[in-house]
Amino acid sequence: MRPSRRAVVLTTGLLVIFLLYSLAPTWFLIVSATKNQTDLYSTFGLWFSSNHLGDNLQEIWAYHDGVFFRWVGNSVLYSTLGAAGSTLVSLAAGYGLSKFGFRGRGALFAVIVGASLLPSTLLAFPLYLVFSEIGLTNTIWSVLIPYFINPFGVYLGKVYADSSVPAELMEAARIDGAGELRIFYAVALRLMRTGGITIFMLEFINIWNNFFLPLFMLNGERTFPVTLGLYSWLQQAQTARDMNTLVLTGSLLSIVPLAIFMFALQKYWRSGILMGSLK
């Protein structure tokens, strides 16, 4: 049956409202990044006035010897290494849960699924206590190691291993004399490539936007990711000079690498999510 005209209009209207709701924060950032401190408070927030984008960018570049761009570099480093490590661990663990039978496998998988439901903010302080005991706080490892363990990534890895790695192909490789590690690296990883890229993308975005873990683990400005760096500017705006224009312009700049990353890998994103949903 064809949907009624009323249903089509209602659905379209809801989608338009959702689109506007989703784009409004980005539009606000674009508009605010073009204003100076005076225009930010004296003009309409969702439309342009005088264009001071160049001045704001120059001020960000000059502030503390360009520390903002170091924060962006730190975010790229943390996100890339953390997502790569998380992807490898997730695929290996998911492959093991999918293709090897052992006692307690079902209970272990249930624990992993349950752990994926825990908010990461709840784990930030316990992780800080652990890393403080072993003396790794304020180091890159205090941020990267927790990112390597991703229960939801393990779940996705198992889903992709179930659907893309045939047991017959593994048996054929064993008959040819290949060991289990070689089968995983030479056969399974290639077949799970789309799933691996999907896990990498999800974890990259999660790490880029993560705030609480770096807040607990890092205390040196030069090691901050961009989220924590912008927060430190916001704190300065409450105690010293008003830095809201820098914060807003920096927030706009911080989503540019993420947008480029998403557009570059969007075809893998769509196919990977589709495969997981069909499974």
Side-chain angles (χ1 to χ4, degrees), residues 214-268:
L215 177 65
F216 278 98
M217 295 296 184
L218 305 174
N219 56 31
E221 184 182 66
R222 307 295 288 183
T223 62
F224 286 173
V226 67
T227 51
L228 190 55
L230 291 173
Y231 174 74
S232 69
W233 278 0
L234 195 61
Q235 292 296 102
Q236 293 179 40
Q238 297 177 2
T239 59
R241 56 171 292 194
D242 192 336
M243 300 181 64
N244 286 331
T245 53
L246 291 186
V247 172
L248 291 168
T249 306
S251 299
L252 178 63
L253 291 177
S254 70
I255 67 175
V256 172
L258 205 56
I260 294 173
F261 174 78
M262 289 292 296
F263 281 116
L265 297 180
Q266 63 178 333
K267 66 175 182 178
Y268 298 105

Side-chain angles (χ1 to χ4, degrees), residues 26-196:
T26 305
W27 176 253
F28 174 76
L29 281 180
I30 294 173
V31 171
S32 299
T34 65
K35 298 182 179 182
N36 59 16
Q37 204 71 35
T38 302
D39 292 341
L40 188 63
Y41 296 108
S42 62
T43 61
F44 181 54
L46 294 179
W47 197 247
F48 301 94
S49 58
S50 302
N51 186 4
H52 297 277
L53 179 60
D55 297 333
N56 293 338
L57 293 176
Q58 186 175 8
E59 189 173 358
I60 284 181
W61 178 266
Y63 190 82
H64 279 196
D65 297 323
V67 69
F68 173 81
F69 295 97
R70 182 179 179 89
W71 294 339
V72 173
N74 290 340
S75 287
V76 172
L77 177 66
Y78 298 150
S79 299
T80 303
L81 294 182
S86 175
T87 301
L88 182 59
V89 171
S90 297
L91 291 179
Y95 172 80
L97 286 169
S98 173
K99 300 304 179 183
F100 297 98
F102 53 89
R103 182 176 298 178
R105 181 175 67 168
L108 178 60
F109 184 64
V111 170
I112 291 172
V113 172
S116 68
L117 302 178
L118 292 175
S120 59
T121 53
L122 292 179
L123 303 177
F125 184 63
L127 284 171
Y128 168 76
L129 295 178
V130 172
F131 280 89
S132 179
E133 287 293 324
I134 59 179
L136 285 181
T137 54
N138 201 33
T139 67
I140 187 175
W141 298 110
S142 65
V143 177
L144 288 181
I145 292 176
Y147 290 147
F148 291 161
I149 311 301
N150 179 14
F152 184 67
V154 175
Y155 167 76
L156 289 180
K158 182 181 183 303
V159 169
Y160 291 117
D162 288 340
S163 60
S164 61
V165 184
E168 297 81 4
L169 186 60
M170 296 175 59
E171 288 298 326
R174 292 188 183 107
I175 292 173
D176 288 339
E180 297 300 335
L181 285 177
R182 184 175 180 184
I183 293 173
F184 174 67
Y185 284 107
V187 178
L189 277 184
R190 295 185 179 183
L191 295 174
M192 299 168 66
R193 180 178 59 183
T194 300

